[in-house]
Amino acid sequence: NGAKLCSNSPGQAAISTLAARFAESNPDLPAVSINVYDVPVMNAFAMPGDRIVITRELLAKASSPDEVAGVLAHELGHVVLRHSEAQLVRVTGLQVLLSVVTGGGSDTVGSVAGLAAILRYTREAEAEADDFALATLAAAHIDPMGLKHFFELVLKQEGKPSGGAFGRIGTVLATHPGTEDRIK
């Protein structure tokens, strides 16, 4: 709420140039909308409708264009593989199933089981998007080590204490495979 869309022309041009480079190496990629938002969290994510969001904080913390390229290729993987849409269907289906099984109440055991199923699926989707990113980077002749270096940055950030209860919950419910595994 209240996240400001960044409209820096040189920045948008750089992101557009990178997206065009990926499209040149893979003409089957869908046209995507890529926006940068001024959010103080280092993140990027794909959304339904072939949209990708990158945070200003991610761009600020990345130490090279190859790192940003790696993240963008990863998010393109989610778009191409329709992970966002599949996740919406999965969450809606699990909510209906849990409602039927629990009689519509808030059954903690059922909710935890449903959450575990979603997280397992999400970890698989993250690994698939990582594989897609490596192939996409190679096809575009971009050093895939940028993605590795970005994961190393993430690993350093993970070692820092997270603020408040959200940070603790986020660690327990992490949806990505272990960062060390992703670096390997």
Side-chain angles (χ1 to χ4, degrees):
N1 191 9
K4 183 180 178 222
L5 177 65
C6 297
S7 58
N8 173 306
S9 295
Q12 281 303 127
I15 295 285
S16 295
T17 299
L18 185 54
R21 188 165 171 187
F22 288 141
E24 286 172 18
S25 64
N26 183 352
D28 294 331
L29 286 178
V32 295
S33 167
I34 305 167
N35 290 303
V36 177
Y37 281 89
D38 189 0
V39 178
V41 174
M42 188 176 72
N43 204 354
F45 51 91
M47 297 174 54
D50 298 341
R51 296 178 294 160
I52 295 175
V53 171
I54 300 173
T55 66
R56 179 194 51 77
E57 187 74 8
L58 184 145
L59 296 176
K61 298 254 174 149
S63 62
S64 75
D66 286 350
E67 288 183 11
V68 175
V71 172
L72 182 55
H74 171 90
E75 297 308 328
L76 277 171
H78 286 307
V79 168
V80 168
L81 299 168
R82 297 286 176 217
H83 289 154
S84 299
E85 288 84 349
Q87 188 70 343
L88 281 175
V89 169
R90 181 177 281 292
V91 168
T92 302
L94 279 171
Q95 287 175 335
V96 169
L97 178 63
L98 289 174
S99 179
V100 168
V101 169
T102 64
S106 60
D107 177 5
T108 303
V109 173
S111 297
V112 169
L115 181 60
I118 290 169
L119 294 179
R120 182 175 56 251
Y121 168 80
T122 303
R123 287 184 188 104
E124 290 170 11
E126 292 301 325
E128 289 174 358
D130 288 345
D131 291 342
F132 181 92
L134 292 175
T136 300
L137 292 165
H141 304 289
I142 297 173
D143 187 359
M145 293 304 285
L147 184 58
K148 177 184 185 267
H149 296 308
F150 184 79
F151 287 147
E152 290 169 345
L153 173 63
V154 169
L155 188 61
K156 286 180 191 170
Q157 294 294 318
E158 287 174 355
K160 294 182 179 177
S162 301
F166 180 75
R168 288 190 296 275
I169 291 170
T171 301
V172 172
L173 301 179
T175 58
H176 290 63
T179 304
E180 290 175 350
D181 292 336
R182 294 174 90 183
I183 289 169
K184 289 177 188 169

